[in-house]
Every structure is written in C-alpha cells, then in structure tokens.
Amino acid sequence: QCNFVVDGHIMSSVHLICGFMGTGKTTIARRLAMQMNAVRLTHDEFMADLYGNDIPESEFRAKWDKVDKLIWNLAEQIVCAGGNVILDYGFWSRESRRKAAERAKIFCDNITFHQVECDFETAKRRLRERDAGRLDEEAFNALAKKYEPIDTDERFDVIYYRNV
C-alpha cells in the first residue's frame, strides 16, 4: 500500500472508466486527466502503439495480457509517486470491475469508478463515424448483450455520466 498522504488526506487516486463502446469513455477520461492532473492509461493506445491496429486474433490475448500488466505496473508507480491515474478500460462486467478494484486496492485506497452511458443507437453512430463506417452491427449487438453496467449492489464509489 503506498497511498500518498498530505495533512492526513489521501492525495493519490485511481479512477476506473466504465462503459460500452462509443459511449464517450475516452472523452471523459481525457477531461478528468486535465482536471485532476492525472495520467490516463488505455489498452487501445498501447496496443496500437506497440503492435499496430491489425493484430491477428491468435496473438491478441497474449499481447493484451502483456499490455494489461504494463498498465497496472505503471498505475502503481504513478500512485506511489503521489500521482493520480485514470484507467480508460471499459470494465464491461461485474467480474472485471471486482478484479480491478481488488488490484487497485493493493496500492491505493482512493478509488472511484466512472460509469459513462448513452443509448446504443448513439454509440453505434459514434463508432461508425470514428471507424470510417467499418462497424459490424451484428458484432456490436452481440457485444452489447454482454455489457453489464455498474449495479448499486457492487458497492463502489461511482460517478455517472450520461450522453457525453
């Protein structure tokens, strides 16, 4: 545990951005990073920078796991140095949020989830615009069924954003 404490107040923080594709997670994460003087870490950017945009499916999971380990190690170092970190991940499932909270609690007590929401038609439109029309609507709909927004019984500190 390496919470950075000043005058009895925990100064370092971990912010976990939750939401489905196209809901505005990265917009919120960037805004929070500016407001909090925080470091924003996201799989998408690391994966693209390290491996490009067209990773073969057979290699994807191993590369994702390496990037995940790197991000969590960086997050811990940032918090231990007294900084704030924003993990722009998505955390689509209860299980992923539980694991993230457990992992973050190893090095920080000041953890906040940020739930970013919008209707699925808006998310689809944003993805079409962002990905130059390459949205596979069938895949989008299948993934949408797997998405689980944060429920109150998860008992996290949550800030909600709607229609960012």
Side-chain angles (χ1 to χ4, degrees), residues 128-145:
R128 268 190 226 103
E129 291 168 3
R130 182 176 77 194
D131 297 337
R134 293 185 306 171
L135 175 68
D136 178 340
E137 195 155 335
E138 191 174 315
F140 178 94
N141 292 335
L143 290 171
K145 291 176 184 173

Side-chain angles (χ1 to χ4, degrees), residues 8 22 34 40 51 53 58 65 68 70 89 94 96 112-113 118 123 125-126 133 135 148 150 155 158:
M34 299 270 300
R40 183 179 62 89
Y51 306 115
N53 289 319
S58 61
D65 290 345
D68 190 59
L70 171 70
Y89 267 47
R94 294 174 67 93
S96 68
T112 304
F113 280 86
C118 75
R125 179 184 48 76
R126 290 176 176 168
L135 175 68
E148 301 169 327
I150 297 175
R155 302 197 185 281
V158 183

Side-chain angles (χ1 to χ4, degrees), residues 10-142:
I10 297 173
M11 301 304 289
S12 301
S13 57
V14 174
H15 299 269
L16 306 163
I17 309 296
C18 303
F20 191 61
M21 299 183 296
T23 58
K25 295 182 306 297
T26 299
T27 299
I28 291 296
R30 286 182 176 140
R31 189 179 305 155
L32 289 172
M34 299 270 300
Q35 291 171 353
M36 298 177 180
N37 196 28
V39 177
R40 183 179 62 89
L41 303 171
T42 179
H43 268 96
D44 294 346
E45 292 170 10
F46 273 99
M47 293 289 283
D49 288 349
L50 292 170
Y51 306 115
N53 289 319
D54 295 316
I55 303 165
E57 196 171 322
S58 61
E59 299 174 21
F60 186 85
R61 177 50 56 192
K63 291 180 185 319
W64 177 272
D65 290 345
K66 284 182 182 181
V67 167
D68 190 59
K69 184 176 180 182
L70 171 70
I71 287 174
W72 279 104
N73 287 340
L74 286 171
E76 183 171 359
Q77 289 178 43
I78 291 163
V79 167
C80 289
N84 300 311
V85 67
I86 297 169
L87 298 179
D88 181 5
Y89 267 47
F91 302 108
W92 288 11
S93 69
R94 294 174 67 93
E95 181 66 9
S96 68
R97 291 187 292 273
R98 184 190 63 74
K99 286 180 178 178
E102 284 178 3
R103 177 75 197 265
K105 286 220 179 279
I106 292 169
F107 57 89
C108 187
D109 287 331
N110 191 5
I111 300 166
T112 304
F113 280 86
H114 298 260
Q115 176 71 54
V116 185
E117 302 172 342
C118 75
D119 64 90
F120 283 130
E121 289 308 312
T122 300
K124 280 183 194 178
R125 179 184 48 76
R126 290 176 176 168
L127 289 171
R128 268 190 226 103
E129 291 168 3
R130 182 176 77 194
D131 297 337
R134 293 185 306 171
L135 175 68
D136 178 340
E137 195 155 335
E138 191 174 315
F140 178 94
N141 292 335

